[in-house]
Amino acid sequence: MSAHPVPTLALRLARLVPGMGVLDPALARAIEHEAVAVERPAGAVLFDTGSPCSGLLLLEDGLVRVSRVAEDGRELQLYRVEPGETCVLTVSCLLGRADYPARGVADRAVQGVYLPAPLFERLSAASAPFRAFVFQAFSERVTSLVDLAAAVTFGHLDRRLARALLERVRTSGRIVLTVTHTELAAELASARESVSRLLGGLADAGVIEQGRGTVRVLDKPRLEAMAGGAPLTH
Amino acid sequence: MSAHPVPTLALRLARLVPGMGVLDPALARAIEHEAVAVERPAGAVLFDTGSPCSGLLLLEDGLVRVSRVAEDGRELQLYRVEPGETCVLTVSCLLGRADYPARGVADRAVQGVYLPAPLFERLSAASAPFRAFVFQAFSERVTSLVDLAAAVTFGHLDRRLARALLERVRTSGRIVLTVTHTELAAELASARESVSRLLGGLADAGVIEQGRGTVRVLDKPRLEAMAGGAPLTH
DNA sequence: ACCGTTGTGTGACCGCCGTCACCGACGCGC
DNA sequence: GCGCGTCGGTGACGGCGGTCACACAACGGT
């Protein structure tokens, strides 16, 4: 397809993992053999509740939403995985040989490098930078999960909504978000009507501006104040 | 604090970590030098929100409650650490060099082996069993955090209360729990009155029996049904 | 036996938010 | 234009559970 040579998997991996420059040749060969280049379209289910975990996907591009689904169909977004990040649950399941307790869906088309479990273990045993990378990301996620639990318990919906909006501003880099009230409600495990009412309030207060399927953030500082100032993964 | 007729620290460590039998002599020496035997009375605060994490405590005896405290003083128990377990947050903070996002309090008097960060890193680099031990525990905790978030979001108080009771039955091994309504309320980030009413209902239904400062679980299966996926009959 | 402390029961009130019902607004295809 | 699906706004209602304000019982110390 491509006229120019595609980077090797080891190279693509090295780009994702800071400090992982020089590799043992045997290890590099193992990567070429065992790692897999992955591309999935938006909407694809990457893993689901109860399914076993066979390896770790390192994201180069796209966005993955990881969410817990209740019996009644309601859904709580646990976190989102962006390029350069890792999926805690996947690492967790790999380390503990457990099944996934949640669902991962490609929010935007996904491209990355997939490391099957044996390769993952070999890498984490052999490469300190790889370990550091995985566990650093891991650590941030655990904190964010704790934050989530606290936000759901203490924080009221307005606060969580503010956080969700800020999160989207941060990851998209734009202040005009293309998101429907229904989507936000699903993300927060709430009801569309509640979200609509709150957004209406924010619009009245001049914090945001609404369009059909869009939200424009006008007053980010105010939104941050509402979110409660809690540090949400830089 | 060294030469004693008591087991060496390396030995105590080996008892805690399955499969960690034979150690490199240099490593064993490092453990003797750097690890610290720790004993703290019930009620002692082992770490608190915002404080840095300097090492990992492996519990030999006692019980640690890890909870997130809100601004208004309400408290949500994230999990409890029992002997043989590790504290996710501690490991997480160690790995990510982050500050604690929660508070850890000795619920019963605590005894254990404390591994300062450098020693922890050395051990996790050198010993596969140690890595496996830490990360296995880590994995379980992450799952339990996800469960917690889901329970708080979807589950109602009765369900969470049932879980809390069962958890205590499990860890104490006895069906007569010495726990006050106030304590349960704090654990669930709820109100004492709510807990009292729910417990009253359970007593009426014959699921439990109450005393002053005690709860006797009579019908564990029924309690489990409540804690599980069964819809609540009101 | 007295009294303070701690644990529990109970009624009243109310706010948040989930649910139901419905309608209007916008977009798209034909 | 017309129909229709998606999106959003609004009112009504109700339940869970948090808060307040008590009353009271159990235990402990002196």
Side-chain angles (χ1 to χ4, degrees):
Chain A
M1 313 284 159
S2 169
H4 39 265
V6 183
T8 66
L9 288 169
L11 226 109
R12 287 169 65 178
L13 193 60
R15 278 189 197 151
L16 289 168
V17 181
M20 191 171 165
V22 192
L23 273 180
D24 173 35
L27 208 53
R29 264 199 310 280
I31 292 173
E32 293 306 326
H33 274 146
E34 300 175 34
V36 183
V38 168
E39 290 187 29
R40 306 295 298 274
V45 176
L46 304 181
F47 56 86
D48 207 341
T49 310
S51 60
C53 176
S54 57
L56 175 66
L57 177 63
L58 295 181
L59 218 56
E60 290 171 317
D61 195 32
L63 186 63
V64 178
R65 300 192 332 111
V66 178
S67 56
R68 173 80 173 231
V69 187
E71 311 87 11
D72 61 9
R74 280 166 71 198
E75 192 182 335
L76 172 69
Q77 178 181 303
L78 298 174
Y79 55 87
R80 305 148 128 247
V81 183
E82 298 171 56
E85 298 184 344
T86 60
C87 173
V88 218
L89 282 187
T90 299
V91 177
S92 166
C93 293
L94 277 176
L95 294 172
R97 288 168 188 72
D99 289 346
Y100 280 109
R103 170 187 295 170
V105 179
D107 202 46
R108 295 198 299 265
V110 154
Q111 180 194 325
V113 179
Y114 179 79
L115 310 176
L119 181 58
F120 170 81
E121 283 177 25
R122 191 162 166 190
L123 274 171
S124 30
S127 164
F130 182 80
R131 265 207 311 276
F133 168 71
V134 168
F135 293 135
Q136 167 75 35
F138 204 9
S139 158
E140 284 165 14
R141 285 301 183 208
V142 169
T143 302
S144 89
L145 277 180
V146 170
D147 282 346
L148 174 67
V152 169
T153 310
F154 305 125
H156 295 262
L157 195 56
D158 46 3
R159 184 175 285 203
R160 296 206 290 136
L161 177 59
R163 286 187 189 206
L165 291 177
L166 286 171
E167 170 74 7
R168 291 196 177 238
V169 167
R170 193 181 62 77
T171 69
S172 72
R174 284 171 297 129
I175 61 163
V176 180
L177 310 172
T178 42
V179 62
T180 69
H181 299 185
T182 310
E183 282 165 2
L184 286 170
E187 176 172 333
L188 301 171
S190 171
R192 204 256 317 153
E193 295 91 324
S194 299
V195 171
S196 286
R197 275 186 254 267
L198 286 176
L199 286 177
L202 290 181
D204 288 349
V207 179
I208 63 168
E209 213 175 63
Q210 304 199 58
R212 184 185 171 85
T214 64
V215 172
R216 173 194 297 263
V217 175
L218 299 176
D219 194 343
K220 203 170 141 202
R222 231 150 84 259
L223 210 52
E224 279 160 352
M226 288 178 187
L232 247 196
T233 19
H234 169 239
Chain B
M1 315 255 180
S2 37
H4 279 296
V6 296
T8 66
L9 289 169
L11 227 110
R12 287 168 67 177
L13 193 58
R15 277 191 197 150
L16 290 166
V17 182
M20 191 170 164
V22 191
L23 272 181
D24 174 34
L27 207 52
R29 264 199 310 279
I31 292 173
E32 293 306 326
H33 274 147
E34 300 175 33
V36 183
V38 168
E39 290 188 29
R40 306 295 297 276
V45 176
L46 304 181
F47 56 86
D48 206 341
T49 312
S51 59
C53 176
S54 58
L56 175 67
L57 177 64
L58 294 180
L59 218 56
E60 288 172 318
D61 193 32
L63 186 63
V64 178
R65 302 194 326 112
V66 178
S67 57
R68 174 81 172 227
V69 187
E71 309 87 10
D72 61 8
R74 281 167 68 199
E75 190 181 337
L76 173 68
Q77 178 180 303
L78 297 173
Y79 54 87
R80 305 150 129 248
V81 184
E82 298 171 57
E85 297 184 343
T86 60
C87 172
V88 217
L89 283 186
T90 298
V91 176
S92 167
C93 292
L94 277 177
L95 294 172
R97 287 164 189 74
D99 290 346
Y100 280 109
R103 168 188 297 170
V105 179
D107 204 44
R108 293 198 300 266
V110 154
Q111 178 193 328
V113 179
Y114 179 78
L115 310 176
L119 180 59
F120 170 80
E121 282 176 25
R122 189 163 168 188
L123 275 171
S124 29
S127 165
F130 182 80
R131 264 206 312 276
F133 167 69
V134 169
F135 293 135
Q136 167 75 36
F138 204 11
S139 158
E140 285 165 13
R141 286 302 184 200
V142 170
T143 303
S144 89
L145 278 179
V146 170
D147 282 346
L148 174 66
V152 169
T153 311
F154 304 125
H156 295 249
L157 193 57
D158 46 4
R159 185 176 288 199
R160 296 207 290 136
L161 177 59
R163 286 187 192 202
L165 291 176
L166 287 171
E167 171 73 8
R168 290 193 177 240
V169 168
R170 191 181 63 74
T171 68
S172 74
R174 283 170 300 131
I175 63 163
V176 181
L177 309 173
T178 40
V179 63
T180 68
H181 299 187
T182 310
E183 282 165 3
L184 286 170
E187 175 170 334
L188 301 170
S190 174
R192 202 258 317 155
E193 296 90 324
S194 299
V195 171
S196 285
R197 276 186 254 267
L198 286 176
L199 286 177
L202 290 180
D204 289 348
V207 179
I208 64 168
E209 211 175 65
Q210 304 198 60
R212 181 185 171 84
T214 64
V215 173
R216 175 193 296 263
V217 175
L218 299 175
D219 194 342
K220 202 170 142 201
R222 207 122 133 251
L223 210 52
E224 278 160 352
M226 290 179 184
L232 8 140
T233 49
H234 208 65

